[in-house]
Amino acid sequence: MTGAHFDYHEPTSIAEAVELAARFGDEARFLAGGTDLLIQIQRGRIAPRHVIGLHRVPGLTGVETNGRIVLGGGVTHRTIERTPAFGGALRGLVEGAEVIGGHQVRNVGTVAGNIVNASPAADLVPVLLALDADVTLAGTRGERTLSLERFLLGPGHTDRHPDELLTAVTMPGLPARSATAFLKAGRRKAMEISVACVAARLTLDAAGERCLAARIALGAVAPTTVRVHAAERALEGQPLTAEALRRAGALAAEAAQPISDVRASAGFRRHLVSVLVPRALHRCLERARGQA
Amino acid sequence: MKVTVSLNVNGEAWELSIEADRTLLDVLRTELMLTGTKTNCLEAECGVCTVLVDGMAVNSCTVLAVTAQGRQITTIEGLARDGELHPLQQAFIDRGAVQCGYCIPGMILSAKAFLDEHPSPTDGQIREALAGNLCRCTGYQKIVDAVQDAARVLRRERRR
């Protein structure tokens, strides 16, 4: 027994799901994998009167990897881990997905859930930010698409209207000589919320020396997962020397706004960023150069 | 709100009238009396409530029973065949991999889902596969050994 008393709805289309959400407004919650929602309900943190299950809604679990990359909102972390097309330049996606909870959580937890839960420590979201992801929302007034960066507003807070369902995440395909990487620091290797995490993406020039494009995103060191534009700009157009990577780490640490809590002090989190950013960039560099 | 839910548990069909907010864990334990599935953290951290849904390990504490309709649910009670223990169960006994025992049903079900996909695992892969199942007696080495023993038995059975 969750201790909550809610009505359960099981729509069979996106249109029906968002109509229900519009009708019940703040009293309703969408249910996908349930690994965050049911915990919040059982802790008494939220008490929805209506739960709208998405299990019978078709069109939410597709994965596209030709050209642009599309992840349906209902795609599970398990699916990301097992998608062969994510083994190469997009490996950061797998690295972000495979550290979320245990297998039991990843088998049912979804991309949309990880995003709309809006935890500053969400592990997959920095990777999506580093891939310039857009989110598509379906609502009763139609569909809209906006950048993931603009969608995330604060801890547990997004730009989603109560009637809107996050149906898909879309990322442009990566140019040649690109690579991604994700690194996470926790107090132990598994089953741990990030103390700090970093996602990076690099695109190299034909010689494999200069940076054409850089993306750096951080988790658990600000009110939302964040991109650090200043550190990205410092790399673009520059030779990717060890000193340039170190400097990007310093700029990222400066841009971070960490808090001190039971897991780590703000100072230690900043230190982690300054170390993990160059390390993640270095990994991208090796991977991008390793592509024949 | 009461809902009628059809569940298939260990190959047996059940039709239940339950409150919509009840978790699969709660329904398994208190309606079906399948108490091999354990209750502990209720927040998808410890893994003692692990069951298989269509062969995949899930934490039944964070699954609403109503969403498990039409899926094949396997609990620890459903692993033995014709009165004979599953090779994983036998290996856990033979290796002394059980201390207090509370985590073991979940541990074995996670191991089963894992071995179904990885018949010849390394010790490291086994540890990673069982990361979502905590043993507070902290006897992980014998658990890993037991899973390796079971993997060998299952490979032999497959060849036959």
Side-chain angles (χ1 to χ4, degrees):
Chain A
M1 187 88 64
T2 58
H5 295 289
F6 50 73
D7 288 354
Y8 181 74
H9 307 268
E10 206 161 65
T12 53
S13 70
I14 291 172
E16 195 190 337
V18 299
E19 260 165 48
L20 285 164
R23 192 190 315 160
F24 301 121
D26 287 338
E27 298 198 322
R29 284 287 194 285
F30 288 119
L31 172 70
T35 57
D36 279 314
L37 187 78
L38 288 179
I39 293 170
Q40 291 184 44
I41 291 175
Q42 294 190 82
R43 285 179 181 166
R45 200 169 290 167
I46 56 169
R49 305 270 279 277
H50 299 273
V51 168
I52 304 167
L54 299 173
H55 301 76
R56 320 264 173 221
V57 175
L60 294 176
T61 56
V63 177
E64 258 182 64
T65 58
N66 277 333
R68 59 181 199 160
I69 305 132
V70 184
L71 298 172
V75 168
T76 59
H77 307 304
R78 173 193 176 94
T79 297
I80 293 176
E81 286 180 81
R82 285 152 203 253
T83 298
F86 297 158
L90 294 165
R91 194 152 131 210
L93 278 174
V94 175
E95 292 172 330
E98 72 189 3
V99 294
I100 297 172
H103 285 276
Q104 297 99 316
V105 166
R106 305 203 292 279
N107 285 343
V108 294
T110 64
V111 172
N114 202 236
I115 295 172
V116 302
N117 194 47
S119 163
D123 286 324
L124 188 63
V125 179
V127 188
L128 300 175
L129 285 171
L131 287 165
D132 292 337
D134 285 333
V135 292
T136 299
L137 301 149
T140 45
R141 282 154 302 174
E143 204 176 77
R144 66 178 176 126
T145 296
L146 74 163
S147 76
L148 174 60
E149 194 179 8
R150 279 183 42 219
F151 180 69
L152 301 167
L153 299 180
H157 189 41
T158 69
D159 190 51
R160 190 182 73 84
H161 305 151
D163 70 312
E164 284 182 321
L165 178 66
L166 200 165
T167 55
V169 181
T170 306
M171 294 151 275
L174 290 181
R177 296 179 303 280
S178 298
T180 54
F182 173 84
L183 292 172
K184 164 174 178 166
R187 288 176 308 178
R188 52 186 174 173
K189 277 192 196 163
M191 299 300 290
E192 181 63 308
I193 186 167
S194 281
V195 170
C197 61
V198 170
R201 160 162 77 92
L202 285 178
T203 301
L204 311 184
D205 67 358
E209 294 302 327
R210 214 168 270 275
C211 169
L212 294 184
R215 293 289 182 275
I216 299 166
L218 314 176
V221 293
T224 64
T225 45
V226 285
R227 260 180 71 183
V228 277
H229 296 266
E232 296 171 359
R233 276 197 303 272
L235 288 171
E236 291 181 344
Q238 301 302 314
L240 289 161
T241 59
E243 172 55 24
L245 305 193
R246 197 199 56 75
R247 190 173 134 69
L251 287 168
E254 212 173 287
Q257 311 155 48
I259 56 167
S260 294
D261 64 11
V262 62
R263 285 178 205 95
S265 67
F268 183 59
R269 284 197 160 94
R270 239 182 249 284
H271 172 70
L272 285 173
V273 170
S274 74
V275 172
L276 292 180
V277 165
R279 202 176 282 174
L281 289 167
H282 184 71
R283 207 162 273 194
C284 290
L285 194 55
E286 283 186 331
R287 288 175 183 176
R289 282 176 180 161
Q291 294 165 14
Chain B
M1 169 188 170
K2 285 231 179 202
V3 287
T4 304
V5 179
S6 319
L7 291 181
N8 184 310
V9 183
N10 301 330
E12 216 176 318
W14 297 87
E15 184 134 322
L16 304 163
S17 175
I18 55 168
E19 288 294 326
D21 68 282
R22 292 182 72 183
T23 61
L24 181 58
L25 170 64
D26 175 37
V27 169
L28 288 172
R29 287 181 57 86
T30 59
E31 299 291 329
L32 308 187
M33 306 309 285
L34 294 172
T35 53
T37 307
K38 301 302 181 195
T39 302
N40 179 41
C41 76
L42 300 179
E43 47 189 46
E45 289 287 342
C46 77
V48 303
C49 67
T50 301
V51 300
L52 304 185
V53 174
D54 292 340
M56 274 186 326
V58 304
N59 290 312
S60 60
C61 71
T62 51
V63 172
L64 288 184
V66 61
T67 64
Q69 285 209 84
R71 328 247 335 235
Q72 304 287 328
I73 298 156
T74 306
T75 69
I76 193 68
E77 291 88 347
L79 276 198
R81 289 274 169 272
D82 307 322
E84 204 173 311
L85 292 179
H86 185 278
L88 272 164
Q89 293 171 305
Q90 192 60 53
F92 270 64
I93 293 169
D94 294 345
R95 279 281 180 174
V98 179
Q99 294 186 61
C100 88
Y102 204 76
C103 71
I104 298 300
M107 201 68 85
I108 285 179
L109 287 165
S110 280
K112 168 150 194 333
F114 170 68
L115 289 183
D116 285 347
E117 282 192 284
H118 305 87
S120 305
T122 63
D123 284 5
Q125 286 173 321
I126 293 171
R127 286 178 185 274
E128 195 281 327
L130 299 179
N133 294 83
L134 305 185
C135 164
R136 292 299 80 177
C137 306
T138 69
Y140 290 108
Q141 185 55 49
K142 287 181 175 180
I143 289 172
V144 173
D145 294 343
V147 174
Q148 284 291 18
D149 282 359
R152 269 189 291 277
V153 172
L154 287 163
R155 285 199 299 271
R156 261 204 311 275
E157 280 183 6
R158 229 166 259 158
R159 276 201 298 273
R160 257 189 291 186

